[in-house]
């Protein structure tokens, strides 16, 4: 693959922007394919696009702390030679990912999640001395609630990034609360926005069912690596996923055994299709205590300050035996200090039959 550009962050992380050598007969790899090859140790050979790139790479790698590889989609064609759009953002556009966040119902559910919202509010207040007079970035700002909480905590400026049309409503809400002088609504994916400065604090409400379901966290990591100052504050700073075996007999009866007898007729032929439908999407439910068949155990712990995309993709794999229930929490701490941390423990359960 051809190295088209090299960037080195302040923490020593070197990013190689590459494209396929199509003229040399190399396949036009996607980002996912490249990540898989890296994991398997079968990554194709790299070659610099020119001597300047070669010299820059030698200099950057001499003191690099880590390295990551980003595929420049379409850069192997003349029209795409300068393209920096990654496949991840393109895919989110094509499948209506951002449009789904324009729905008021999505934000209503989130705002009515009292344990979660109180945890964020308490974290902002507890970190007020780290927010006052400083620049803050809110990734996936939605209605602008977290951005406004940071503004009221004394932030000098809050950049609120929101890719959906909810950004228009957020701007109106910010004006209605008299905070337009501090909160700046930026519409667009964070991967495409150009902030006027690096920030001291990054806050985001990115946690979905079983923590990672919304696929928003990679965008938060991009924002962290691109815009957060070294030693800056991440809110939340750590997250855990917990698992436990559970009994889902009621769900099994309602969704599967139902087909055994429908008005006296055997329709069990449809049970296989019903099972496929059941396991293909998260089942969100409130469970009774007697449904637990064992103790909750920590399945994965994520350090939001240091975790990488590759670690998320390859380091956290769910091996589901029978039925399990998963819930999440997030910890807010001051630059690595966990004293007095508040956990987001909304106990939102996802059961897989």
């Amino acid at each position: 693959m051809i190295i088209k550009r090299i960037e080195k962050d302040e923490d020593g992380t070197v990013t190689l922007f590459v494209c396929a050598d199509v003229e040399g007969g190399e396949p036009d790899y996607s980002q996912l394919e490249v990540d898989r090859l890296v994991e398997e140790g079968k990554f194709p050979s790299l070659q610099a696009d020119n001597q300047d790139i070669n010299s820059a790479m030698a200099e950057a790698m001499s003191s690099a702390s880590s390295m990551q590889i980003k595929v420049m989609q379409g850069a192997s064609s003349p029209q795409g030679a300068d393209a920096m759009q990654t496949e991840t953002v393109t895919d989110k556009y094509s499948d209506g990912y951002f449009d789904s966040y324009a729905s008021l119902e999505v934000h209503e559910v989130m705002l009515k999640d009292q344990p979660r919202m109180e945890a964020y509010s308490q974290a902002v207040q507890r970190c007020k001395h780290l927010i006052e007079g400083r620049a803050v970035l809110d990734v996936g700002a939605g209605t602008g609630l977290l951005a406004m909480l940071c503004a009221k905590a004394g932030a000098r400026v809050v950049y609120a990034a929101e890719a959906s049309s909810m950004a228009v409503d957020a701007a109106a809400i910010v004006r209605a609360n008299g905070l337009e002088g501090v909160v700046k609504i930026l519409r667009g994916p964070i991967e495409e926005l150009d902030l006027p400065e690096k920030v001291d604090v990054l806050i985001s409400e990115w946690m979905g069912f079983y923590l990672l379901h919304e696929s928003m966290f990679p965008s938060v990591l991009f924002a962290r690596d691109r815009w957060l100052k070294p030693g800056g504050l991440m809110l939340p700073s750590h997250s855990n996923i917990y698992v436990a075996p559970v009994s889902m007999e009621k769900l099994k009866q309602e969704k599967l055994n139902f087909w055994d007898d429908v008005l006296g007729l055997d329709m069990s032929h449809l049970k296989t299709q019903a099972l496929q439908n059941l396991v293909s999407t998260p089942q969100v439910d409130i469970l009774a205590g007697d449904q637990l068949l064992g103790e909750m155990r920590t399945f994965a712990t994520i350090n939001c300050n240091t975790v990488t995309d590759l670690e998320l993709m390859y380091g956290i794999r769910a091996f589901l035996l029978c039925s399990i229930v998963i819930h999440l929490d997030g910890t807010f701490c001051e630059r690595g200090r966990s004293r007095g941390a508040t956990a987001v423990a909304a106990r939102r359960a996802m059961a897989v039959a």
Side-chain angles (χ1 to χ4, degrees), residues 20-34:
D21 183 11
V22 177
E23 293 183 358
E26 189 174 47
D28 194 3
Y29 293 109
S30 69
Q31 183 71 55
L32 182 60
E33 289 171 327
V34 168

Side-chain angles (χ1 to χ4, degrees), residues 22-68:
V22 177
E23 293 183 358
E26 189 174 47
D28 194 3
Y29 293 109
S30 69
Q31 183 71 55
L32 182 60
E33 289 171 327
V34 168
D35 291 339
R36 186 176 295 116
L37 288 171
V38 170
E39 182 195 25
E40 297 173 353
K42 302 176 182 178
F43 191 75
S45 60
L46 293 171
Q47 57 178 318
D49 191 39
N50 53 55
Q51 186 57 42
D52 289 340
I53 294 288
N54 192 46
S55 299
M57 181 175 178
E59 180 180 354
M61 296 304 294
S62 65
S63 58
S65 61
S66 61
M67 184 184 74
Q68 57 183 351

